[in-house]
Amino acid sequence: MDHFSLRYGVMHAEDVPLPVIADAVGTPVYVYSRATLERHARVFREALVDVPDKLIAFAVKSNPNLAVLKVLGAQGMGADVVSVGEMRRALAAGITPEMIVFSGVGKTAAEMAAALDAGIGQFNIESEEEGVELAEIAAARGVTAQCTLRINPDVDAGTHDKISTGKADNKFGVPISEAGQIFGKLAGLPGVNLRGVAVHIGSQLADLAPLEAAFLKLGELVGVLRGAGHEVTHVDLGGGLGVPYRVGEVLPQPAEYGAMVARVTKDWGVKLIFEPGRVIAGNAGVLLTRVVRVKRGIKDPFVIVDAAMNDLARPALYGAYHHFEAVEPKGAQMTANIVGPICETGDTFAMGRECDALQAGDLAVFRTAGAYGATMASSYNSRGFVAEVLVDGDKFAVVADRIEAGAIMDAERVPEWLA
Ligand SMILES: *Cc1c(COP(=O)(O)O)cnc(C)c1O
């Protein structure tokens, strides 16, 4: 459930009519709802009531906006980060270092050092090589890195290939067949306290079965590790829960996920870490856009909006579906191709889409844009970076300025020898 709804024929974010935001900030603009973010955080937390010892770390990569992190931090969430840039955002939003988990296959030595200096709570090591390097860096600083070893369980998450992460040929984690041996090697190194294992098999999962299969394999591995004399006190179950992008789409609810987790892990005797991203932020945001013009087509008309693939990359990148609707629907429908102004055909949000009838100047939204939206924006076609707004009841604030193309050009230099 979210707080974007029609009132008196005008779509509102909580109590704010979207045309008011469009007039004040311009379009395109991402609009987030604080009440929705808080609701999703609460629902996820409540789904895990039967898990006694846990940390819920928001996957910052899904929406790294400082104001969003501030809202979620106040809900008791930690942060799952995949770069020092994300770590700095989590810290700047007031999330305590102990509640920060550092994931990612390519942590550089400088990043590991910075994260150790910040005193973060956990590193999820993705390879033997990374573990050895982290141990050296930590030992040289006279500190101990708290770690889990990320396991690649060889489970097909059944999602889009580009966001599948738990198959044997994906780059993430160590093969489960070698996990015991690598764990043993890393656990003996000074500088690291290898206290458990981690898994994250992919994103936008529409089915709990692959998650359960991965967790069961992980549970078995915990038994094997303990049998080999290792102490296992922490298990990180990652993120991945899908959200509905289509009207009427039914996905596993957080409560079902929580019940499955509680059932599978009840005898593990560990602290569990969760890294939800999309399920918290996805439906807490929309991309508000204005129709530039409607162009006649051979078959369907092209509705050309002022948002483009540089602002919302998911359709171009993954063929993703985003529900599209008018901010002030008049009741009539049309079948249209929804496209942005960018000069490539990849800049297509939908072909032959049945949607509200729209004409030049009308406002519309792409729904479910709060996760993997603004964070993937680029300045392709010198369009600048899209702005972001947070709504809270009847008030709203710009939480990321639009970065105009001119400001990006100002950061470029023409060398003297070209002058
Ligand atoms: C991307 C990612 C997540 C979040 O995934 P969602 O599908 O947004 O919940 C969690 N953990 C890791 C390691 C990730 O890479």
Side-chain angles (χ1 to χ4, degrees), residues 2 8 13 51 61 74 79 126 221 269 307 347 391 401:
D2 60 58
Y8 313 108
V51 174
K61 77 170 192 278
E126 300 243 6
L221 177 63
D347 189 26
V391 171
D401 290 340

Side-chain angles (χ1 to χ4, degrees), residues 296-316:
R296 207 168 48 246
I298 292 286
K299 186 162 175 261
D300 301 320
F302 291 93
V303 171
I304 305 167
V305 296
D306 65 1
M309 65 187 285
N310 73 301
D311 306 306
L312 177 62
R314 297 188 67 261

Side-chain angles (χ1 to χ4, degrees), residues 59 61 80 103 150 200 202-204 239-241 275-278 372:
K61 77 170 192 278
D80 170 51
S103 302
R150 181 165 173 183
H200 171 74
S203 196
Q204 184 56 14
L241 209 54
E275 303 171 346
R278 192 187 309 266
Y372 307 104

Side-chain angles (χ1 to χ4, degrees), residues 238-392:
L241 209 54
V243 299
Y245 280 88
R246 293 167 195 265
V247 175
E249 196 178 355
V250 179
L251 280 116
Q253 295 297 301
E256 299 168 58
Y257 170 81
M260 181 273 283
V261 167
R263 172 167 53 76
V264 171
T265 65
K266 67 178 186 314
D267 298 326
W268 290 9
V270 295
K271 176 169 184 163
L272 290 180
I273 295 101
F274 299 88
E275 303 171 346
R278 192 187 309 266
V279 72
I280 304 296
N283 276 310
V286 299
L287 174 56
L288 177 60
T289 184
R290 197 181 286 282
V291 177
V292 176
R293 80 177 48 83
V294 179
K295 171 182 168 173
R296 207 168 48 246
I298 292 286
K299 186 162 175 261
D300 301 320
F302 291 93
V303 171
I304 305 167
V305 296
D306 65 1
M309 65 187 285
N310 73 301
D311 306 306
L312 177 62
R314 297 188 67 261
L317 208 50
Y318 314 126
Y321 180 102
H322 282 270
H323 183 65
F324 179 72
E325 62 187 294
V327 166
E328 297 179 73
K330 306 284 188 283
Q333 296 278 297
M334 71 192 299
T335 304
N337 306 318
I338 319 296
V339 301
I342 281 183
C343 292
E344 70 166 87
T345 302
D347 189 26
T348 297
F349 292 108
M351 291 298 284
R353 176 77 67 86
E354 187 75 22
C355 64
D356 295 323
L358 286 160
Q359 53 191 40
D362 288 348
L363 290 168
V365 293
F366 292 100
R367 290 268 200 159
T368 321
Y372 307 104
T375 183
M376 284 190 175
S378 76
S379 65
Y380 186 34
N381 274 217
S382 292
R383 288 171 42 84
F385 282 95
V386 62
E388 297 165 80
V389 159
L390 181 68
V391 171
D392 179 6

Side-chain angles (χ1 to χ4, degrees), residues 20 116 118 137 164 189 194 220 224 363 416:
V20 170
L116 285 168
I137 295 168
S164 251
L189 298 177
L194 193 54
E220 251 174 64
V224 169
L363 290 168
E416 239 169 64

